[in-house]
């Protein structure tokens, strides 16, 4: 019991501070449509949409409003909200993509750890509750400490385009996602 409380307190303390996300959150209600479906439908725009991988049933893309450098989003191609709607094949594919995502990020930018999670409904923090997606957030020792001190500075130090190229190269070198 006390262990659980301690861990919760620890998680709260380690929340990432990402002030640039406010533009995204404020724009949510204005935005028409679904950016994941949009990205899925326009493979010719993968580079500008930062879509890293396409597999049979899924997409992996860089989050344009990252919590931390290298923040990836994994999504089913199908516009569905709940895990219970996934087929076994889709579920297996997304799980394999979690592993492949950790591998490519480790090869390219060497995180010390990861937060991996999903949010369901707005109240739980889902920016796009209608289309399920998994967040892969790389973490480095001391990243929260650094941000507490320099909250207003640009902590996403690597540009999205550079990062995209780096992840594409690491994918090719390591044969990822590998299916
Ligand atoms: Zn969608």
């Amino acid at each position: 019991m006390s262990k659980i409380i301690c861990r919760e307190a620890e998680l709260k303390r380690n929340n990432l501070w990402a002030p640039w996300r406010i533009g995204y959150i404020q724009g949510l209600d204005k935005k028409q449509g679904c950016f994941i479906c949009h990205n899925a439908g326009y493979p010719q725009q993968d580079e500008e949409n930062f879509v890293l991988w396409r597999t049979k049933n899924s997409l992996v893309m860089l989050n344009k409003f990252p919590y931390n450098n290298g923040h990836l989003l994994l999504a089913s191609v199908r516009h569905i909200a709940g895990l219970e709607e996934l087929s076994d094949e889709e579920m297996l594919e997304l799980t394999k993509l979690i592993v492949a995502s950790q591998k490519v990020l480790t090869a390219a930018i060497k995180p010390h750890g990861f937060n991996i999670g999903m949010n369901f409904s707005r109240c739980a923090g889902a920016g796009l509750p209608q289309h399920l997606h998994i967040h892969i957030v790389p973490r480095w020792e001391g990243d929260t400490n650094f941000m507490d001190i320099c909250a207003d500075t640009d902590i996403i130090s690597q540009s999205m385009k550079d990062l995209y190229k780096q992840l594409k190269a690491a994918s090719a070198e390591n044969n990822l996602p590998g299916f």
Side-chain angles (χ1 to χ4, degrees), residues 53 60 72 74 97-106 136:
W53 300 330
V60 175
L72 299 181
L74 281 49
L97 285 171
I98 293 174
V99 180
S101 296
Q102 286 184 276
K103 281 184 184 168
V104 78
L105 289 165
T106 299
I136 312 272

Side-chain angles (χ1 to χ4, degrees), residues 139-168:
R139 300 297 302 267
W140 287 267
E141 279 158 32
D143 59 7
T144 51
N145 298 344
F146 172 75
M147 278 181 261
D148 284 344
I149 298 163
C150 310
D152 290 329
T153 59
D154 179 14
I155 60 167
I156 305 294
S157 51
Q158 193 175 13
S159 87
M160 299 271 298
K161 282 181 182 172
D162 288 347
L163 176 63
Y164 183 80
K165 280 182 200 155
Q166 208 176 336
L167 291 174
K168 274 287 187 193

Side-chain angles (χ1 to χ4, degrees), residues 107-146:
I109 55 176
K110 299 179 177 55
H112 300 142
F114 294 94
N115 290 119
I116 297 177
M118 302 182 76
N119 304 318
F120 295 97
S121 296
R122 275 284 151 77
C123 67
L128 187 65
Q130 321 88 294
H131 196 141
L132 70 85
H133 52 282
I134 303 170
H135 294 265
I136 312 272
V137 183
R139 300 297 302 267
W140 287 267
E141 279 158 32
D143 59 7
T144 51
N145 298 344
F146 172 75

Side-chain angles (χ1 to χ4, degrees), residues 34-38 77-80 128 130-131:
C34 166
F35 78 86
I36 296 173
C37 285
H38 174 87
V77 168
R78 285 200 302 137
H79 184 86
I80 50 176
L128 187 65
Q130 321 88 294
H131 196 141

